[in-house]
Amino acid sequence: VKKNIEEYLNPPRTIFVSIASYRDQQCSNTLKDLFMNAKYPQNIYVGICQQNKKDDDECELIKECIREGLCVGNQIRKIKLDFSEAKGPAYARYYCSTLYEDEAFYLQIDSHINFIEHWDEKLLNMHDNLPPNSIISSYPLDYKDRHKLGVPYICESMYKSHKGIPEYQSYIQEPTERPRLTYIIAAGFLFMPRQAVIDVPFDPHLPYLFMGEETLLAARLWTSGYNIYSPNMNITYHDYGRKDDPKVWNDNKQFNENNKKVINKVLYLLGEKSREDVVPELLLDIDKYGLGNQRTLQEYLHFADLDLKNSKGSKKWCTI
């Protein structure tokens, strides 16, 4: 009874972890690392959208890990799609979000990630020291660089393959006392409170989207009143060296052609295309999945120093 009263007065700060996995052999190790390095693994819940070919490795907790009592085995929710049904990371992340059950915080990661010891406690403490309506996000440091001092800070925008859709570059910088204000989210490490998921729900109508996912979500969050901060310590490490692993845009020969359609939707929401440029099925529930009403798009673009119209890059944030 005493324990129940304590939990009612001080409910555990649960974390939902979203993992979109496409034919990823490292996904099981990511799960193991996630639970083994958590200080409070009983408060961690995972939602996986697994997109595999018939003989691909199942993304599941390693049995030895469960048997030895090092991991929990009943806090994982999963949606399985055949790899032929996969339509890119943004589409899979929406499916992950349907597994969310109102946990206190939402962490979105990739499926080839390593965690530091007690990552959950450190991430929650980091968030506690920020103002209300704060989000923590950045590109994780490469696993092979984990012994380097410093943390990645995204501060450069550039335009390469898609006119009007920026790409971003992070640079390793000395850790700061507190997380640094930034202008962009990283889809592979995004930590936000419950209310942000309610206010800015994941859009099911972004099939085949890859480039543009981060700019659109950042704009939606920022215009909904959320500020983005870059972590002041490395919580995770990412395996970027996966050039021979399966990619959805290689397996699906129609990916690039379909990607052009959804890019038009992104540019429409960012003010660079007209509604007529977007196929109607991508505009379903556009009010629900569009920009927020707390701040304007133009205010965001000015704040972020993004020149979409002229596809002009910027390093302004590298000097702040």
Side-chain angles (χ1 to χ4, degrees):
V1 173
K2 181 180 178 182
K3 180 180 178 183
N4 289 339
I5 293 174
E6 288 177 350
E7 288 189 351
Y8 176 78
L9 295 175
N10 299 290
R13 297 205 295 170
T14 51
I15 300 175
F16 175 84
V17 185
S18 160
I19 304 178
S21 176
Y22 183 81
R23 305 190 61 195
D24 194 339
Q25 300 178 43
Q26 298 184 44
C27 189
S28 293
N29 285 325
T30 294
L31 275 181
K32 176 183 176 182
D33 208 65
L34 183 158
F35 281 110
M36 287 187 66
N37 283 303
K39 185 170 183 179
Y40 303 105
Q42 70 274 15
N43 293 338
I44 308 299
Y45 296 83
V46 180
I48 304 170
C49 178
Q50 176 181 283
Q51 306 153 98
N52 274 4
K53 202 171 181 177
K54 183 178 178 180
D55 295 325
D56 289 334
D57 293 339
E58 185 81 9
C59 184
E60 58 187 356
L61 273 177
I62 298 169
K63 293 178 181 178
E64 290 78 5
C65 177
I66 300 173
R67 187 170 60 241
E68 294 172 13
L70 300 175
C71 300
V72 297
N74 60 347
Q75 291 163 226
I76 298 173
R77 308 156 193 160
K78 188 183 294 186
I79 288 176
K80 294 184 181 182
L81 299 178
D82 186 80
F83 83 110
S84 63
E85 301 175 90
K87 296 180 182 179
Y91 186 75
R93 292 192 231 278
Y94 162 74
Y95 272 111
C96 290
S97 76
T98 66
L99 301 171
Y100 177 57
E101 295 184 3
D102 208 33
E103 285 78 15
F105 289 89
Y106 193 105
L107 173 63
Q108 178 174 285
I109 61 170
D110 288 332
S111 53
H112 30 274
I113 290 287
N114 292 97
F115 289 80
I116 64 169
E117 185 179 29
H118 295 173
W119 64 268
D120 51 336
E121 179 183 56
K122 292 171 182 175
L123 190 51
L124 288 168
N125 288 341
M126 190 186 299
H127 194 270
D128 286 345
N129 290 319
L130 293 173
N133 294 346
S134 292
I135 287 165
I136 298 173
S137 188
S138 187
Y139 298 138
L141 192 65
D142 195 314
Y143 182 74
K144 66 179 175 57
D145 295 329
R146 64 193 181 281
H147 300 302
K148 290 184 178 180
L149 298 177
V151 293
Y153 181 64
I154 306 172
C155 62
E156 181 179 6
S157 61
M158 62 198 76
Y159 298 79
K160 294 181 179 180
S161 54
H162 294 286
K163 182 176 174 59
I165 298 290
E167 300 177 38
Y168 303 96
Q169 176 67 50
S170 65
Y171 295 90
I172 298 176
Q173 301 189 0
E174 290 188 11
T176 51
E177 184 178 348
R178 297 180 63 193
R180 295 177 61 180
L181 186 67
T182 185
Y183 65 101
I184 192 66
I185 64 102
F189 182 83
L190 174 62
F191 185 69
M192 51 191 174
R194 173 194 293 122
Q195 191 61 42
V197 187
I198 297 170
D199 293 341
V200 188
F202 287 85
D203 187 349
H205 310 301
L206 293 174
Y208 306 102
L209 182 63
F210 179 54
M211 205 63 65
E213 174 190 14
E214 294 170 333
T215 306
L216 178 57
L217 185 52
R220 291 182 64 210
L221 286 163
W222 198 91
T223 58
S224 297
Y226 290 90
N227 290 318
I228 307 162
Y229 291 84
S230 185
N232 61 336
M233 66 184 301
N234 295 307
I235 299 294
T236 61
Y237 298 99
H238 187 286
D239 182 5
Y240 291 99
R242 304 171 53 253
K243 68 175 186 176
D244 295 326
D245 287 4
K247 306 292 189 301
V248 64
W249 43 85
N250 292 330
D251 286 345
N252 186 330
K253 303 306 180 185
Q254 303 301 315
F255 188 93
N256 290 332
E257 186 61 35
N258 287 317
N259 172 255
K260 295 176 184 177
K261 299 176 184 177
V262 74
I263 286 290
N264 281 347
K265 175 180 176 177
V266 173
L267 289 172
Y268 163 62
L269 289 170
L270 295 176
E272 295 301 317
K273 288 279 187 181
S274 69
R275 191 182 181 100
E276 290 69 31
D277 292 320
V278 187
V279 294
E281 58 264 30
L282 297 182
L283 293 172
L284 293 173
D285 302 314
I286 195 66
D287 291 336
K288 180 179 179 180
Y289 301 114
L291 300 180
N293 58 15
Q294 300 301 304
R295 295 181 285 200
T296 69
L297 172 63
Q298 289 308 313
E299 286 175 318
Y300 172 67
L301 296 176
H302 176 74
F303 170 78
D305 201 33
L306 291 177
D307 186 350
L308 308 182
K309 186 174 296 293
N310 299 305
S311 296
K312 183 180 178 181
S314 170
K315 295 186 74 171
K316 166 190 168 182
W317 284 85
C318 297
T319 62
I320 293 177

